[in-house]
Amino acid sequence: MDYVNAFLCGGLLCAVGQIIIDKTKLTPARILVGYVVTGVVLHALGFYQYLVDWGGAGATVPLTGFGYTLAKGVEKAIAEKGLLGALTGGLSATAGGITAAMLFALIAALLFKPGDKR
């Protein structure tokens, strides 16, 4: 059942994003930033943990999950290090994901010939 919940949660988040793209004039970049901010706000209000408990990877993998992880890292670092944690916690919590994204982008750039399609 965990797989079904993850599929439903991730699919719902993606479907909402697609509807926003289709029905508004927002650029994809603004929508992506909106998703990250939404994850931070929902964590701050205490709602996102319920979504993570139900949806698992379907809630933590999309961009709302990135915002959730940033906020959770800042919260933990502030508890441990005080105000300095507000500057370091988000990057510490998301360092693995950011590094993986950069590494996979580098590998893709080396394997394939990037360029404009004409």
Side-chain angles (χ1 to χ4, degrees):
M1 196 64 187
D2 290 340
Y3 294 118
V4 173
N5 290 347
F7 176 78
L8 291 173
C9 182
L12 182 63
L13 289 170
C14 292
V16 168
Q18 187 63 50
I19 291 168
I20 293 171
I21 288 172
D22 292 343
K23 300 294 182 182
T24 67
K25 293 185 179 186
L26 291 173
T27 62
R30 289 177 190 237
I31 295 168
L32 296 177
V33 169
Y35 263 49
V36 173
V37 171
T38 300
V40 170
V41 170
L42 288 176
H43 174 70
L45 296 174
F47 297 130
Y48 206 80
Q49 187 60 46
Y50 296 114
L51 190 62
V52 170
D53 293 341
W54 174 74
T60 57
V61 172
L63 283 171
T64 51
F66 182 72
Y68 161 76
T69 305
L70 280 171
K72 194 172 178 181
V74 168
E75 184 178 52
K76 180 181 175 188
I78 287 175
E80 293 174 358
K81 301 176 186 173
L83 191 57
L84 182 61
L87 302 174
T88 62
L91 289 176
S92 298
T94 58
I98 293 170
T99 302
M102 292 173 55
L103 181 64
F104 293 135
L106 175 66
I107 291 170
L110 293 174
L111 292 177
F112 302 101
K113 184 177 179 181
D116 294 336
K117 290 184 179 182
R118 294 178 193 229

